[in-house]
Amino acid sequence: RTGMTRPPSGSISQGFGGAHSALRHWDIDSSGLRLPAVLLSQIQPVGAETKIVPAFFLAGITTTAAALGLAASVGAVKNGTVIVQEQLDSLAADADSAVSIGHSLTINGKTLDTNFDTIRSTCQDQPGWPMIQDQLKKDQQQVKDLLATISSYQEQVDPLPNDIRNAKEQVTVWVPLLGLILAVPLMLVLATLVFNWLGLTVTRFWGRGNECGRCCGDALALRITAFLALIAIIALSVAWFAELGTAILTADFCVAPNNNTANLALSVSQGNTSASTYVYVEYYIQGVGSSPMEVKLNDATQDLSQLKTEIGKHEQDLKKACPPLSPEVSKSMNSAIAVCQQNVQDAQTLVAPQRIYTYFNSGVQAACSYYVPGIGWLFIVEFVLVIPLLPALLLSANSYYKKLVAFQTTDREPLMAGNVELGASANELHVAQPGVHSAQAMQVEDQDSSRRNSRVQFV
């Protein structure tokens, strides 16, 4: 620079051999002498080394907490959903079997009715027909009553497979979606941490001697980190209160799931205790009352048992009254009755209270064992992130950035005219006494000072 007297190399070397604390106090005359760029690139930031330790430490703790919270949430939702889906699959399979049984009962019931029609058409012209006519008419009416019972049973079971599979689809879609919504704040935290780590590493390793690296590290990463952190803290606060309420309600439900399910069914039925939803829940969950489906099956059992007895009792009379009647008709009737009885027993097994309650209890246990603890983990992790970690991380990173930027701008600061000792006196440095500034030197110094102040204020 104009007006500068270069010090002897020996004095400079002696000065550079001094303590690091002395280097940062070095000043030069107003002509704008600077330390060599190579030397500046090797000087460690004063104070920034101590600032970066807590920044990295807090970043590591925050990342670990966010990752653990997200993993706990995903694991709980996944495990609970898998168990509930398995129970619904088993229940749907039972419902399919119940529908198939209903179809079989209908077919065999119609077979019985057809056999009675065959007997009438074959025997009504026989001399002994008046002897058996009334009894056959009575037996056929029992078959028609059986068909009505089977039809009522089938109306109740036919919609069940689709309803259960729809419920499974709702669980498959909405439970993971709910888990994803609850995990959004943690995802924002992880995104914040990504930019925080990027900012620390960029300014740490790439920023020295590289204006672009300094800009990216000191400005862009810091601003993105602060912006995402603000959104994350707001989202975490909202999610924290939502999860607190959800956890309280769910935990309260898990204390007495049977009674709470019955109360929920009553609420859905709008207080109507005779509604089918409430009646079934009360019977299968609380063991109170009776199931309309089981009532129908019990009626079918009685009808079949009585019909079998009556047919067996009058079989010989039928043969005497109607010799042309083929023996195959009687065998067909007995076979149809036997199939119907077996079908009814199978249906009663499928709709037994113990079997249905097992599915319900397994689903409740899955919800209470996985969903509630998963929400609890989210609640705890988000509380720790919102209150101490994220704010502390931002403050620590901000302090580090400020210290680093202050250091990186020292290469634009004038060092001094010659009063500070650097292992040698001002006279030994042979630095020229300050003179009158040239217009060019003053302009450069003003520009440097303006840029330095702008960067510090910006960060």
Side-chain angles (χ1 to χ4, degrees):
R1 296 283 178 94
T2 304
M4 178 192 74
T5 302
R6 183 181 183 87
S9 60
S11 299
I12 293 291
S13 300
Q14 183 180 4
F16 289 171
H20 174 70
S21 60
L23 284 175
R24 65 191 177 95
H25 290 297
W26 237 35
D27 258 344
I28 277 191
D29 59 22
S30 56
S31 61
L33 178 63
R34 287 170 174 73
L35 291 174
V38 175
L39 179 62
L40 280 173
S41 66
Q42 297 175 354
I43 300 176
Q44 298 296 325
V46 178
E49 289 298 322
T50 59
K51 296 292 184 182
I52 199 172
V53 174
F56 270 114
F57 179 72
L58 288 171
I61 292 180
T62 308
T63 304
T64 303
L68 288 177
L70 191 59
S73 172
V74 171
V77 170
K78 179 181 178 181
N79 293 333
T81 303
V82 167
I83 294 176
V84 172
Q85 287 175 335
E86 290 175 351
Q87 299 304 314
L88 290 174
D89 285 336
S90 300
L91 191 58
D94 284 355
D96 288 334
S97 299
V99 171
S100 298
I101 288 173
H103 293 161
S104 178
L105 285 169
T106 301
I107 292 172
N108 286 279
K110 289 181 178 180
T111 300
L112 286 172
D113 191 41
T114 301
N115 287 331
F116 278 103
D117 290 339
T118 302
I119 293 173
R120 180 184 297 104
S121 62
T122 303
C123 302
Q124 62 183 355
D125 295 332
Q126 298 297 316
W129 172 250
M131 297 173 53
I132 61 173
Q133 180 180 5
D134 293 340
Q135 185 60 44
L136 288 175
K137 185 177 181 180
K138 181 180 179 181
D139 291 345
Q140 188 172 15
Q141 184 59 45
Q142 286 185 334
V143 172
K144 293 186 180 296
D145 293 341
L146 175 64
L147 286 172
T149 302
I150 293 172
S151 178
S152 177
Y153 162 81
Q154 198 164 0
E155 288 178 359
Q156 296 182 48
V157 299
D158 279 349
L160 291 179
N162 288 333
D163 292 344
I164 295 172
R165 289 186 173 89
N166 288 336
K168 179 186 174 182
E169 290 179 1
Q170 296 295 323
V171 170
T172 304
V173 173
W174 287 106
V175 172
L177 181 60
L178 179 61
L180 179 64
I181 293 174
L182 293 177
V184 165
L186 290 180
M187 294 180 182
L188 287 174
V189 172
L190 291 176
T192 302
L193 293 171
V194 167
F195 282 98
N196 185 76
W197 282 105
L198 178 63
L200 290 176
T201 53
V202 166
T203 56
R204 173 76 172 163
F205 301 112
W206 300 346
R208 295 172 186 171
N210 186 320
E211 188 65 26
C212 179
R214 292 175 186 173
C215 177
C216 292
D218 299 341
L220 181 61
L222 176 62
R223 290 233 167 171
I224 294 177
T225 300
F227 176 74
L228 289 177
L230 176 62
I231 298 177
I233 289 175
I234 295 174
L236 285 170
S237 302
V238 174
W240 187 76
F241 284 105
E243 289 159 9
L244 176 62
T246 304
I248 292 174
L249 291 176
T250 310
D252 181 66
F253 174 85
C254 292
V255 172
N258 295 353
N259 292 334
N260 289 325
T261 303
N263 293 332
L264 180 61
L266 184 61
S267 176
V268 171
S269 302
Q270 298 179 351
N272 184 8
T273 56
S274 61
S276 59
T277 302
Y278 179 74
V279 170
Y280 280 119
V281 168
E282 190 178 37
Y283 177 69
Y284 285 110
I285 306 303
Q286 292 187 303
V288 178
S290 60
S291 166
M293 193 178 301
E294 281 204 325
V295 170
K296 297 297 182 183
L297 291 173
N298 291 335
D299 292 342
T301 300
Q302 293 178 1
D303 291 340
L304 288 168
S305 178
Q306 186 176 358
L307 182 61
K308 182 178 181 180
T309 301
E310 292 296 330
I311 290 176
K313 185 189 297 184
H314 300 98
E315 186 175 1
Q316 296 301 321
D317 296 337
L318 181 61
K319 289 180 180 180
K320 293 178 181 179
C322 186
L325 184 64
S326 172
E328 296 299 326
V329 175
S330 179
K331 291 181 180 180
S332 176
M333 293 178 68
N334 289 327
S335 175
I337 290 174
V339 172
C340 286
Q341 286 179 324
Q342 184 61 50
N343 287 336
V344 171
Q345 290 179 4
D346 293 341
Q348 287 175 327
T349 301
L350 292 175
V351 300
Q354 298 82 359
R355 190 182 186 95
I356 301 297
Y357 183 77
T358 300
Y359 295 134
F360 167 79
N361 189 55
S362 298
V364 169
Q365 291 299 323
C368 295
S369 300
Y370 291 101
Y371 295 153
V372 176
I375 294 175
W377 272 110
L378 279 179
F379 175 78
I380 294 173
V381 169
E382 290 174 359
F383 177 81
V384 173
L385 288 173
V386 169
I387 303 302
L389 286 184
L390 271 181
L393 175 64
L394 291 178
L395 292 175
S396 178
N398 186 58
S399 178
Y400 165 69
Y401 284 130
K402 283 185 176 181
K403 198 70 177 181
L404 187 63
V405 170
F407 164 74
Q408 288 178 344
T409 57
T410 54
D411 61 326
R412 296 189 175 94
E413 295 177 0
L415 285 179
M416 192 180 155
N419 292 328
V420 179
E421 293 185 356
L422 190 64
S425 65
N427 293 329
E428 290 173 332
L429 291 176
H430 303 286
V431 179
Q433 295 297 321
V436 180
H437 291 284
S438 66
Q440 181 180 4
M442 292 180 64
Q443 183 178 4
V444 171
E445 184 177 351
D446 291 341
Q447 292 175 352
D448 288 345
S449 177
S450 176
R451 285 197 298 269
R452 180 176 68 253
N453 292 334
S454 297
R455 292 189 67 206
V456 172
Q457 291 174 4
F458 179 70
V459 174

